[in-house]
Amino acid sequence: MTDSPAFRVPLDPSEQPILDRILHIRDNLSILKGDRTSYVKSSDVLKYYNQLIEQVEQLNRIRETKRDEQNRVDTVLDDCFQLISLFFLTIGRNQEAPAVYSAISTVKRLLDHLKEAGFYSPHDLTSISQHIEQWQAAVTQGKDAHSPHLLTLLNARIDVCRERLHELQTRLSSLDPEMMGTYEKLVSILRSLSYCNTRSKFPAKEVKEYEDQLLQIQAELHETRIVHDGKSAEQVYAERLASLSLTESEVTDGPTVVRALLARCLLWVEVITEKQGKIDERFQDTYDKLIRIRNNLEQMNLTQAWSLRETDLYSFQRQLDRIDESRVNGNFLDTEGRPADLHAQRTLLYLLRKSYAFIYQYIVSSEPVSEALLPIYNQLLTLKRCLVEVKRSGGVDSPRELYPYSMKLNSIDNMKKDGKFMVGNDIPEGQASVSALLAECFDLAYELREESQKDQEDETPVSNGVSVAG
């Protein structure tokens, strides 16, 4: 396995035994990750987690006088903690401090990319803000159960994310509700244009439709399109980005923010229309790799609930991290150290950001249930959705229509032993979540049955004692 890029200083000989042991731990975690013959057990994950914490404590004792040192030990430790974090999600222990490690690392990169891109939706920030608070609560609650070394690290990373989040929120603070509506529409269009720019076949007609929407917004704002005689759209776009970075610490008024984003959208239309989806050949390999990663992550969205093991995200994270960390001052460089043109820079950045956004989405939507119980949990989720839809559509005409649901719910309920869903002799994590969902389904079925019986009673004619027999 290739290490993540990082600072490489000479390894202190006293750290070599620690490196050897954490390399062994990483190898074991990788084997466990790849084993699909059985579900991941909590005992296995906790065993490697405790071994890793022991090595961290030894490392901290060695580095008492050199806290800022970074070498190969740190990169392998990061690999191990990323894997451990994803394993905690896989076994359903989502609310514990170790599970936060991978999530907060992903969000830090996502926030950096949102700042670098220079446009983002307030919904992006709201979601991240809510989850940061949840992760902070998990870290706080874990003070008695987990190593203070890990908790200190997580708290520091959460603080960094909070600072970046506040910075991004401040930039949107001057937008009133009307301006915010226009701004959000522009963000959506710019992202759609960026997606069009990475399609296998450039969709010229679709891009023209987005341009027409932009021209309509321009007319509503009484703006005129930028004239850039003697300069290419790329040059003007680059100048806009440069001016954006110079004023990033200032709070710009709402109309100016919207007008600036509109101008960028129109310039980007010109840039991608000229390029027709063709990337600078110097960066074709990086582009192809990012396209594959983005497409694979996007396809996982179709099967996530049924087949995703959270540790599957690790290889994608590491590939993205290597690409991201290979940049110099934010620039993608070719083999000779020359930076990419603006089109390639923004296209590659979009693919990086989009890929990290998918990983973030999968992490935060991970159910607090062990993969051993996921088949049952997913069946119950499907049953619940069906029952909710039946209720929304007016219920059933007869209790008999609920028999298939009742039979399935009873068959799942009968799987329990002593009130627990067992797998062999193990009691997988997530018992409370599965039981609560099962109870919800039973309650919905009961409500539908009661409503149906009441409707039948209301429709039964009342006899007045008069015989109608001939």
Side-chain angles (χ1 to χ4, degrees), residues 111-283:
L111 288 169
D112 286 343
H113 294 156
L114 289 175
K115 178 185 177 181
E116 189 176 352
F119 68 96
Y120 41 86
S121 163
H123 296 299
D124 299 333
L125 306 186
T126 300
S127 170
I128 291 174
S129 177
Q130 291 171 346
H131 284 104
I132 284 177
E133 295 311 311
Q134 292 174 13
W135 298 328
Q136 180 66 78
V139 173
T140 302
Q141 291 167 7
K143 63 182 181 180
D144 296 325
H146 297 286
S147 165
H149 302 286
L150 174 63
L151 300 184
T152 300
L153 173 61
L154 291 174
N155 277 317
R157 292 191 174 188
I158 288 174
D159 287 343
V160 170
C161 288
R162 277 203 178 112
E163 290 175 13
R164 179 53 49 82
L165 180 65
H166 177 70
E167 181 184 344
L168 297 179
Q169 289 170 329
T170 300
R171 291 190 188 181
L172 301 183
S173 62
S174 62
L175 291 166
D176 61 33
E178 183 178 355
M179 285 285 100
M180 183 62 79
T182 304
Y183 175 85
E184 288 183 303
K185 187 172 183 180
L186 289 171
V187 168
S188 176
I189 291 173
L190 188 46
R191 286 180 173 170
S192 297
L193 287 168
S194 295
Y195 179 71
C196 289
N197 180 49
T198 59
R199 298 261 286 273
S200 56
K201 182 179 179 181
F202 186 74
K205 183 180 178 182
E206 195 173 332
V207 170
K208 182 64 172 65
E209 290 172 355
Y210 286 125
E211 183 179 18
D212 291 341
Q213 292 180 41
L214 293 171
L215 293 174
Q216 182 179 345
I217 294 173
Q218 184 182 60
E220 292 169 357
L221 296 177
H222 306 292
E223 288 292 304
T224 56
R225 196 157 186 168
I226 294 176
V227 178
H228 47 86
D229 292 335
K231 293 182 180 180
S232 69
E234 274 193 88
Q235 288 175 312
V236 179
Y237 196 106
E239 290 171 1
R240 288 264 169 178
L241 291 177
S243 65
L244 184 69
S245 63
L246 289 173
T247 60
E248 63 183 16
S249 61
E250 302 174 7
V251 178
T252 311
D253 65 275
T256 300
V257 171
V258 171
R259 287 195 299 268
L261 185 55
L262 172 62
R264 286 179 60 191
C265 288
L266 289 167
L267 287 167
W268 190 237
V269 168
E270 291 186 55
V271 172
I272 66 173
T273 300
E274 180 185 341
K275 297 290 185 179
Q276 292 287 303
K278 298 291 189 294
I279 196 90
D280 184 334
E281 63 180 15
R282 295 177 298 150
F283 298 92

Side-chain angles (χ1 to χ4, degrees), residues 282-318:
R282 295 177 298 150
F283 298 92
Q284 188 68 49
D285 288 346
T286 303
Y287 175 80
D288 291 342
K289 183 180 290 187
L290 285 171
I291 283 287
R292 282 196 299 272
I293 294 171
R294 192 274 310 269
N295 290 347
N296 285 334
L297 287 168
E298 190 172 28
Q299 288 166 8
M300 287 168 67
N301 197 35
L302 302 175
T303 58
Q304 176 200 0
W306 297 96
S307 63
L308 175 67
R309 176 184 273 186
E310 284 80 1
T311 50
D312 295 341
L313 299 173
Y314 174 79
S315 61
F316 294 113
Q317 281 181 322
R318 278 304 178 239

Side-chain angles (χ1 to χ4, degrees), residues 396-397 451-462:
V396 294
D397 295 327
E451 290 172 6
S452 174
Q453 290 174 343
K454 184 175 182 299
D455 289 343
Q456 285 186 336
E457 291 171 3
D458 291 343
E459 291 172 6
T460 302
V462 180

